[in-house]
Amino acid sequence: MSETEVTTAPRPLLLADGTPAGRAWSLDPDLKHLNHGSFGAVPLVAQERQELLRVEMERSPVVWFPALPERLAATRARLAAFLRVDAGDLALVPNASAGASVVFAALTLRPGGEIVVTDHGYGAVTMGAERLARRFGGRVRTAHVPLDADEEQAYEAVTAEFTDATQLVVVDQITSATARLLPVERIGAEARRRGIPVLVDGAHAPGLLEAPLAGATYDFWTGNLHKWGCAPRGTAALVARGPLRERLYPLIDSWAAAEPFPDRFDQQGTIDATAYLAAPAALDFVERTWGWAAARRYMDELADYGAGVIGAAFAGTAGADTAVDVGMPVPGMRLVRLPDGLAADRLQADALRDRVARELGVEAAFTSFGGAGFMRLSAHVYNTAADYEYFAEECVPVLGAWARENTGKRSAR
């Protein structure tokens, strides 16, 4: 989208009683929430369900914990149906990074072994891959995928790093910093042909993609239900298929350690599993109120509109080219190019996020890639066009001033 192209604002979603969708959440009304993609937001119905479960747990812990594995198995079946996978392939983990850590803990590398990652990878997961490589004296190879790379170009960039020494591939389904898809099915198929295991980081996929594991050609996939699925925080899935899955164990060993995958993940001492048990309440709420297909369509249209109005505002205020050519765009997420002087690296992007929240009252996501700064938009059903119009009118001029101030400081050095 060019910086002057602004789509028509989609009509806000309403609850069944005709009130705004935001009424179903407990988000701070004094803040504008434009960053659902980082931590998600939990609807009141799921918060209330989790609190009732906690009360039940604390009233009778000796009854609660022995019965927990059976309840978790039933919950896994409901979550597996949402993801359209077999419940026997799905284990529950606290987040996608934890799922990746489970996989890293299970694998061994031959001397000189290599792990292929991409320069779009989530930093914490890439750090885990690097730690695995160090354990066995191996190394990590980074595939460089241009932001504007289409499916074929992205596939070729990743598979070009495969060698006879490659023993694991770690690739994002939806990249966090750059809000783009990667062709994980094609990459997985080529890796399988060569006998290389593949771990797909699908942190953003549940809820945003209709069937994130359709056509899966990889060994391991992990995704957060507490992002787009709006489940209570600390709810994610680890899906594993093939013989390597029997090497997977929870990060906490408990009395179910001798059980097969994924049953051994259902018993981990006194862990608070109420987030898992309450997750279906969030998924069912969206389905019952709007339907997930309609919710995804609204999120995509709203993100498109938000990118248009904010991009046009930056172009007018800072004279910057805000157009971003993303090769494989993601539904519900968009990038807007920031003026020079803002978010040139991860630390600067995080500092900008904190300053915008503190001084401008907006929760927003700022990222960097290749030395350029971006605002990452990630809309959900409680967002409205007015949220993005407010940011364009009230915040963009301030960010433009900050950018000029920062570039002036650098010029004076």
Side-chain angles (χ1 to χ4, degrees):
M1 176 183 292
S2 71
E3 65 269 21
T4 58
E5 181 182 353
V6 180
T7 59
T8 303
R11 298 178 61 181
L13 292 185
L14 302 176
L15 299 174
D17 62 3
T19 59
R23 293 280 183 89
W25 275 261
S26 58
L27 293 165
D28 187 343
D30 293 329
L31 292 173
K32 297 292 184 182
H33 301 274
L34 305 184
N35 183 19
H36 184 89
S38 284
F39 300 104
V42 185
L44 288 166
V45 64
Q47 294 182 44
E48 292 162 358
R49 176 60 180 156
Q50 185 177 19
E51 184 56 33
L52 288 174
L53 289 164
R54 282 182 171 143
V55 169
E56 181 184 350
M57 175 176 65
E58 298 303 340
R59 288 183 64 181
S60 54
V62 176
V63 173
W64 171 272
F65 285 103
L68 186 57
E70 184 176 353
R71 296 179 73 164
L72 286 174
T75 298
R76 282 195 291 105
R78 296 183 66 183
L79 299 179
F82 176 74
L83 294 173
R84 303 187 183 184
V85 298
D86 191 313
D89 294 335
L90 185 150
L92 294 171
V93 290
N95 52 47
S97 296
S101 295
V102 165
V103 174
F104 295 149
L107 299 182
T108 58
L109 301 183
R110 298 187 302 275
E114 296 179 347
I115 301 173
V116 172
V117 302
T118 79
D119 54 352
H120 295 255
Y122 188 63
V125 173
T126 298
M127 290 177 189
E130 291 168 345
R131 182 164 59 89
L132 171 60
R134 287 196 301 270
R135 279 168 47 203
F136 296 97
R139 64 187 291 256
V140 168
R141 294 174 65 97
T142 302
H144 299 285
V145 181
L147 184 57
D148 62 354
D150 61 19
E151 177 180 337
E152 183 66 27
Q153 292 167 331
Y155 166 78
E156 290 179 355
V158 176
T159 56
E161 298 299 324
F162 294 1
T163 71
D164 291 341
T166 305
Q167 294 179 45
L168 178 66
V169 178
V170 182
V171 62
D172 291 60
Q173 189 168 26
I174 296 173
T175 63
S176 178
T178 50
R180 62 158 293 151
L181 292 162
L182 290 174
V184 293
E185 288 79 15
R186 289 189 63 191
I187 293 168
E190 176 59 18
R192 175 172 291 179
R193 188 184 71 81
R194 299 182 184 216
I196 306 169
V198 175
L199 165 63
V200 170
D201 181 351
H204 287 271
L208 198 57
L209 302 182
E210 181 179 3
L213 286 104
T217 55
Y218 27 87
D219 304 83
F220 313 106
W221 176 96
T222 184
N224 291 322
L225 288 152
H226 59 236
K227 286 185 180 285
W228 304 93
C230 294
R233 269 165 276 281
T235 307
L238 171 61
V239 176
R241 296 166 174 158
L244 289 176
R245 75 183 199 156
E246 290 309 321
R247 299 186 187 181
L248 303 182
Y249 283 82
L251 300 179
I252 301 172
D253 283 324
S254 192
W255 290 100
E259 298 295 322
F261 178 91
D263 298 347
R264 61 175 69 116
F265 284 75
D266 292 342
Q267 187 174 351
Q268 296 187 58
T270 55
I271 189 172
D272 184 349
T274 56
Y276 299 154
L277 298 176
L283 303 176
D284 293 347
F285 166 73
V286 174
E287 179 60 39
R288 184 175 62 251
T289 308
W290 303 286
W292 273 100
R296 279 190 286 267
R297 186 165 54 251
Y298 175 77
M299 290 186 279
D300 195 42
E301 292 173 355
L302 185 57
D304 208 32
Y305 177 77
V309 296
I310 292 174
F314 272 120
T317 299
D321 181 6
T322 64
V324 182
D325 185 5
V326 176
M328 297 178 69
V330 177
M333 299 176 74
R334 297 291 187 276
L335 291 182
V336 175
R337 178 73 159 83
L338 293 173
D340 291 343
L342 295 177
D345 57 36
R346 183 183 66 83
L347 293 179
Q348 291 182 30
D350 289 349
L352 181 61
R353 173 201 63 201
D354 297 343
R355 187 179 184 186
V356 167
R358 184 176 61 251
E359 299 184 24
L360 303 182
V362 177
E363 291 190 329
F366 301 97
T367 68
S368 66
F369 184 75
F374 301 92
M375 182 177 181
R376 189 197 71 188
L377 306 184
S378 52
H380 214 279
V381 295
Y382 55 79
N383 288 123
T384 68
D387 295 330
Y388 301 94
E389 292 163 356
Y390 174 89
F391 190 91
E393 295 168 7
E394 302 295 331
C395 302
V396 166
V398 178
L399 267 68
W402 291 352
R404 290 189 293 273
E405 178 184 346
N406 290 340
T407 53
K409 288 179 179 177
R410 285 204 298 267
S411 299
R413 290 176 183 171

